[in-house]
Amino acid sequence: MNIQKIVFPMLIGVIFCACCKCKDTTVKPAEEQTDAFVTLTDVVPDAILEIRYFSTYNFVGKRIDGYMEPTALLTRQAADSLKAVSDELIQKGYRLKIYDAYRPQMAVNHFVRWSQDFADTLMKAYFYPGLDKHELFPKGYIAERSGHTRGSTVDLTLFDMKTEKEVDMGGTFDWFGVESHPDYCGTHPDTTLYPEIGKYTGDGTGLTEQQYNNRMLLRSAMMRHGFKPLDTEWWHFTLANEPFPDTYFTFPVKQLP
């Protein structure tokens, strides 16, 4: 079965993204300074923004706490590295489309509260039809800390400038399930947390070869410019040398002064 014909209930970028292992960490107060951050489009003007958590088109079905404007923020270091990715891919006919970047702790807290309200299944049919809501915490889809809150993680896809459409990745952002693994029905190396890009070995029951190659195009460009991928989400990348590896910020998402 071609995976394009499957209606995906979307995996939580937030959620898989949130599954970092917590050690002693610092949560910054609301009055913290934001001078280490930039508005992403100031650095990567070619980026297209579709900030899902500012809208109601997300797994909660409501605008998420802390998203005051439909903009994207990143640390300066992450934004500069993403600019290098954009410059490379523009030469190949693609722009970057951003779903989420910096995410304040209040947004993660919103996800946690939502996950504990088992009666609220408003968006189940669209984002997690194969899961019961009580499974989200035990299976790691929801956690109390997210790498996005450290400011150097981004969720994104590719936009084809020739067709003027998103590139077909064989699945959508924020889908819960193995279909979101970058190498789904491709190679599954198990020797490292972030496997090297492999060769497509699918049998037609999952990703097509073109869909797999599209994921690898994004993945390889991100890795070349200093980002590490997540083995459960094709859209999720964190700057390897992130400047705040143990700090979780609280200021809201809005245009910086």
Side-chain angles (χ1 to χ4, degrees):
M1 180 185 299
N2 188 318
I3 204 168
Q4 288 178 296
K5 297 180 181 178
I6 298 175
V7 178
F8 287 121
M10 299 149 72
L11 212 193
I12 297 177
V14 177
I15 292 193
F16 278 143
C17 306
C19 56
C20 58
K21 302 295 183 185
C22 295
K23 13 178 197 180
D24 290 337
T25 56
T26 300
V27 177
K28 285 284 194 178
E31 64 270 22
E32 66 206 343
Q33 294 184 347
T34 59
D35 52 5
F37 285 74
V38 295
T39 299
L40 177 58
T41 49
D42 287 346
V43 180
V44 190
D46 295 305
I48 300 168
L49 301 186
E50 186 182 327
I51 307 303
R52 292 286 182 87
Y53 305 126
F54 179 78
S55 74
T56 59
Y57 181 38
N58 58 61
F59 59 89
V60 174
K62 299 177 181 178
R63 182 180 296 178
I64 303 305
D65 291 353
Y67 284 81
M68 297 178 65
E69 295 178 3
T71 191
L73 310 178
L74 278 177
T75 61
R76 165 61 72 176
Q77 294 91 328
D80 287 344
S81 293
L82 199 62
K83 175 66 160 62
V85 175
S86 178
D87 289 348
E88 174 185 331
L89 290 173
I90 281 175
Q91 297 303 312
K92 299 177 180 180
Y94 302 99
R95 294 171 66 183
L96 301 180
K97 185 172 184 179
I98 310 298
Y99 296 124
D100 195 31
Y102 161 70
R103 181 183 307 155
Q105 184 60 43
M106 70 183 82
V108 179
N109 295 345
H110 189 167
F111 296 147
V112 172
R113 292 193 307 273
W114 168 84
S115 72
Q116 296 169 344
D117 180 0
F118 298 148
D120 181 359
T121 57
L122 175 65
M123 304 301 285
K124 178 178 173 63
Y126 305 99
F127 292 88
Y128 54 102
L131 288 171
D132 289 329
K133 200 170 181 183
H134 67 79
E135 298 178 275
L136 298 182
F137 246 110
K139 291 189 174 182
Y141 291 109
I142 298 284
E144 294 180 354
R145 293 283 185 270
S146 168
H148 282 272
T149 308
R150 303 193 299 264
S152 296
T153 293
V154 61
D155 293 335
L156 75 172
T157 191
L158 296 176
F159 181 88
D160 189 323
M161 291 189 287
K162 184 176 181 180
T163 65
E164 297 185 346
K165 296 179 180 179
E166 286 185 25
V167 170
D168 180 7
M169 295 294 189
T172 54
F173 166 67
D174 260 1
W175 161 278
F176 290 135
V178 296
E179 297 86 357
S180 291
H181 294 191
D183 57 358
Y184 175 64
C185 263
T187 55
H188 295 273
D190 57 3
T191 55
T192 60
L193 180 61
Y194 302 110
E196 293 299 320
I197 296 168
K199 182 179 179 181
Y200 176 75
T201 59
D203 60 5
T205 61
L207 294 176
T208 66
E209 186 169 8
Q210 184 60 59
Q211 290 165 345
Y212 176 81
N213 289 339
N214 290 341
R215 291 186 181 192
M216 294 301 108
L217 175 63
L218 174 62
R219 179 185 174 98
S220 60
M222 294 294 285
M223 291 176 71
R224 269 194 298 275
H225 296 287
F227 289 90
K228 60 183 181 182
L230 187 66
D231 59 357
T232 52
E233 297 178 344
W234 60 259
W235 58 82
H236 175 111
F237 298 88
T238 298
L239 188 67
N241 294 319
E242 57 181 312
F244 302 105
D246 299 310
T247 301
Y248 294 83
F249 293 89
T250 66
F251 61 86
V253 174
K254 62 180 180 179
Q255 198 77 8
L256 296 176

